[in-house]
């Protein structure tokens, strides 16, 4: 529609010009002694218009010619950038396809081309990761250095990448130095950096720091809760192991554990075992009793009969109270058998141990019953239970 309107307007203009020229009888006299030039007005208008067009195109030609070197330079720079961008995209595609050799070549080639610092940092990072996957660690470090020189402002990208690759190489101390350097730059410690630090602390066995990082990640909802509980339990277990030679340190450590973690039967068992190692059976019994009263655990019940002191009678009474609620728990019956053996209640001990074996045969119960028979002077049934216990232990080893 617009084209038709413009064509119609052009026709009207052409007709108006033609009619105006036809009925225009004016002329123009140009005098420059000794010359005298007389022209029709129509011809003068046509000449002026032609001169105007010539002047316009001459000026345009001069302007275009003057701009030509800059435009050629811009065109070539644009071509180089497009070529560098294409090489970077090829490198990224190859990296995510797992074709690391091709990715390294493409990104290394892109690094040699003209490109903004951000693209240079990305290319150097992908090249470094690709070289790492190919186990070419010296080339990886060269690409990391190139990232620093070509894009010094991209600190977070470079340090995070370098730390992650060092952790994959099991070099936690160096990775921690890089993460500390990232923190000193004033950059907010984001979740990915905390995860890397968590892995580094786990590899360096800094369990106190691991627990602190798990608390931070839990507040950010950055990890699966089951995984957090598993790692927190492992950190606490390692904490107990490192304090089995220091009663005061063990006491402080257990007191500082959160009430929720104290309800974990695995941790309660580890703490009780640590106290038993230090011959503090009273503390071990208290931990086991509190944990079993809150939540029943057969493994913890069996541990109740391991550390025995002068309060064995009280332990028997407490265990028999639990037995009313858990009459078929083989571990609890085994613990009662050991406690009664310690108190030389031979008949009760035999009954409890045989009951434990009837519920679930175990090497530990056979061994406890064999030792009981030895103490009461019955070597033949003792030998029989030693043999059965050994046979059961060998069978389970074969299954494992």
């Amino acid at each position: 529609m617009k084209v038709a309107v413009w064509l119609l307007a052009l026709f009207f203009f052409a007709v108006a010009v033609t009619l105006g020229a036809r009925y225009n009888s004016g002329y123009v006299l140009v005098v420059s002694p000794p010359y005298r030039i007389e022209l029709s007005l129509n011809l003068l208008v046509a000449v002026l218009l032609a001169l105007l067009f010539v002047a316009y195109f001459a000026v345009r030609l001069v302007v275009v010619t003057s701009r030509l070197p800059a435009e050629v330079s811009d065109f070539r720079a644009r071509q180089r950038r497009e070529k560098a961008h294409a090489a970077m995209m090829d490198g990224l595609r190859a990296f995510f396809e797992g074709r690391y050799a091709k990715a390294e070549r493409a990104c290394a080639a892109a690094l040699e081309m003209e490109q903004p610092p951000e693209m240079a940092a990305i290319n150097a990072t992908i090249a470094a990761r690709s070289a790492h996957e190919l186990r070419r660690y010296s080339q990886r470090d060269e690409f990391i250095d190139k990232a620093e020189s070509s894009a010094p402002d991209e600190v977070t990208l470079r340090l995070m990448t370098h730390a992650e690759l060092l952790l994959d190489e099991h070099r936690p101390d160096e990775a921690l130095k890089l993460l500390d350097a990232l923190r000193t730059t004033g950059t907010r410690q984001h979740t990915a950096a905390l995860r890397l630090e968590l892995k580094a602390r786990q590899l360096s066995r800094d369990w106190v720091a691991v627990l602190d990082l798990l608390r931070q990640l839990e507040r950010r909802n950055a990890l699966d809760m089951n995984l957090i509980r598993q790692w927190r339990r492992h950190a606490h277990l390692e904490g107990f192991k490192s304090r089995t030679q220091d009663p005061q340190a063990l006491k402080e450590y257990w007191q500082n554990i959160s009430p929720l973690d104290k309800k974990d039967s695995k941790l309660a068992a580890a703490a009780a075992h640590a106290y038993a190692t230090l011959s503090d059976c009273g503390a071990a019994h208290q931990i086991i009793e509190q944990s079993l009263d809150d939540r029943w655990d057969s493994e913890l019940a069996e541990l109740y009969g391991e550390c025995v002191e002068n309060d064995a009678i009280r332990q028997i009474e407490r265990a028999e109270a639990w037995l009313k609620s858990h009459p078929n728990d083989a571990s609890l019956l085994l613990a009662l058998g050991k406690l009664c053996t310690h108190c030389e209640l031979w008949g009760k001990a035999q009954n409890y141990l045989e009951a434990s074996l009837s519920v679930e045969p175990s090497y530990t119960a056979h061994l406890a019953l064999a030792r009981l028979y030895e103490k009461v002077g019955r070597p033949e049934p003792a030998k029989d239970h030693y043999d059965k216990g050994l046979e059961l232990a060998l069978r389970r080893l074969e299954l494992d």
Side-chain angles (χ1 to χ4, degrees), residues 333-352:
L333 290 167
L334 174 59
L336 275 167
K338 290 180 178 180
L339 290 171
C340 291
T341 300
H342 178 77
C343 295
E344 298 183 356
L345 302 173
W346 310 120
K348 291 184 67 174
Q350 180 180 348
N351 291 336
Y352 282 132

Side-chain angles (χ1 to χ4, degrees), residues 13 20 73 96 116 127 140-141 169 196 199-200 208 219 237 261 265 271-272 275 278-279 286 314 327 336 373 388:
F13 179 75
S73 178
F96 289 116
R140 174 202 67 190
D141 295 338
E169 201 182 347
L196 285 181
K199 184 177 180 180
V208 175
R219 286 196 297 267
L237 292 176
D261 288 335
S265 59
Y275 274 112
L278 294 171
S279 300
Q286 184 180 5
R314 186 196 65 82
L336 275 167
Y373 282 129
K388 289 181 179 178

Side-chain angles (χ1 to χ4, degrees), residues 208 238-247 249-250 253 274 278:
V208 175
E238 294 295 331
F240 287 130
K241 288 180 183 178
S242 64
R243 290 166 175 80
T244 53
Q245 304 299 324
D246 189 341
L250 178 62
Y253 190 82
L278 294 171

Side-chain angles (χ1 to χ4, degrees), residues 156 160 182-194 220:
T156 302
M160 287 284 293
L182 178 62
R183 192 181 296 110
T184 57
T185 60
T187 304
R188 182 177 179 270
Q189 194 79 339
H190 52 84
T191 302
L194 290 177
R220 300 186 186 196

Side-chain angles (χ1 to χ4, degrees), residues 37 101 105 140 149 164 180 205 210 219 265 300 324:
I37 302 174
R105 288 195 301 270
R140 174 202 67 190
S149 60
E164 182 179 352
D180 290 339
R205 305 183 66 82
V210 167
R219 286 196 297 267
S265 59
L300 203 57
K324 295 177 182 178

Side-chain angles (χ1 to χ4, degrees), residues 207-238:
W207 304 115
V208 175
V210 167
L211 291 169
D212 179 61
L213 289 167
L214 287 174
R215 283 191 289 270
Q216 295 184 53
L217 291 169
E218 183 177 6
R219 286 196 297 267
R220 300 186 186 196
N221 195 26
L223 290 174
D224 180 73
M225 283 305 301
N226 291 328
L227 189 60
I228 288 178
R229 282 193 290 268
Q230 178 183 344
W231 283 349
R232 181 186 290 125
R233 174 188 291 170
H234 181 72
H236 281 311
L237 292 176
E238 294 295 331

